[in-house]
Amino acid sequence: MNQIRADFDARTIVVYQAYGPAIARPALAAKRFVPPFSRTRMTWIKPSFLWLMERSNWARKSGQEHVLAVRISRAGWEEALAAGVLTSHDPRLHRDPDEWRERFAAAAVHIQWDPERSLRGADLQQGSIQVGLSRHVIDRFADAWTVDITDLTPLVRKIHGHLKSGHEARAKALLPPEKPYPLSPALARTIGATA
């Protein structure tokens, strides 16, 4: 099952990214992405907190020491999804692999489904979305869609500390709230969502 679960309200959705201090600190100070954040390479945004915790090893990997909660407009999020092409061929969406390859090569946004993660990093039987924004849309992400950027690194350390000391219930109570994100049938089909 591929389902977007996220922390969102009527206007915005939170996506997560992990960066080193050189990018994270200026972004936090400006509440938007500023140099040395690169607008010429793809950046990946993820609405699953636990997926990013697995990827960044709870903000302990080099270059991923700061976990940012990036609040963006739902209009921008859905604009990105609508422009997306899956990173692998799906016969339900493309006639053949050649058609998919052609669309993928031209896509401004890449959509990838990876296994969602549990609190302790185990693969779950549910897909978790990653959205890759190419240089063709990154200006819109940085300048038009981003509403706020918050440093979640202290929270990440606190949750991970509870986990390490065997207090799983305490860790779980601190997780950001995530619930199923509503999608139109057309948008769900475009991105390969199944729930």
Side-chain angles (χ1 to χ4, degrees):
M1 173 174 76
N2 291 338
Q3 180 186 61
I4 298 174
R5 295 184 59 81
D7 177 4
F8 63 92
D9 59 26
R11 291 181 44 255
T12 63
I13 180 172
V14 175
V15 294
Y16 302 101
Q17 295 187 290
Y19 289 108
I23 291 174
R25 287 179 183 152
L28 288 162
K31 295 296 187 183
R32 64 187 190 89
F33 287 106
V34 295
F37 175 80
S38 174
R39 295 181 181 228
T40 60
R41 58 190 294 270
M42 184 165 282
T43 192
W44 290 85
I45 56 177
K46 308 127 186 114
S48 168
F49 178 80
L50 288 177
W51 191 94
L52 186 61
M53 293 308 95
E54 172 65 18
R55 178 64 178 254
S56 69
N57 193 18
W58 294 91
R60 292 183 301 170
K61 280 189 182 171
S62 177
Q64 299 184 43
E65 301 92 346
H66 291 265
V67 171
L68 307 183
V70 185
R71 189 169 287 276
I72 65 173
S73 70
R74 284 179 61 172
W77 171 249
E78 293 182 17
E79 181 183 327
L81 296 181
V85 174
L86 293 172
T87 56
S88 57
H89 174 250
D90 184 333
R92 296 170 301 169
L93 299 174
H94 309 106
R95 273 192 322 272
D96 54 52
D98 288 338
E99 182 202 9
W100 164 75
R101 270 191 284 277
E102 190 175 306
R103 290 196 58 215
F104 183 72
V109 177
H110 294 170
I111 304 288
Q112 184 167 311
W113 293 95
D114 294 311
E116 181 58 281
R117 300 297 181 145
S118 73
L119 187 57
R120 293 204 173 270
D123 285 5
L124 300 177
Q125 298 301 308
Q126 178 180 320
S128 181
I129 197 168
Q130 283 195 77
V131 178
L133 306 174
S134 76
R135 59 188 173 83
H136 302 291
V137 293
I138 208 157
D139 285 345
R140 291 189 52 68
F141 166 68
D143 299 330
W145 302 345
T146 298
V147 174
D148 192 22
I149 301 177
T150 307
D151 187 4
L152 289 193
T153 312
L155 177 66
V156 167
R157 292 191 179 123
K158 189 171 186 180
I159 295 171
H160 190 240
H162 285 319
L163 268 182
K164 287 196 302 185
S165 60
H167 297 107
E168 193 161 322
R170 288 183 194 169
K172 196 171 186 179
L174 294 174
L175 293 176
E178 293 177 4
K179 57 188 182 284
Y181 185 88
L183 294 168
S184 69
L187 194 50
R189 177 175 160 73
T190 295
I191 66 171
T194 54

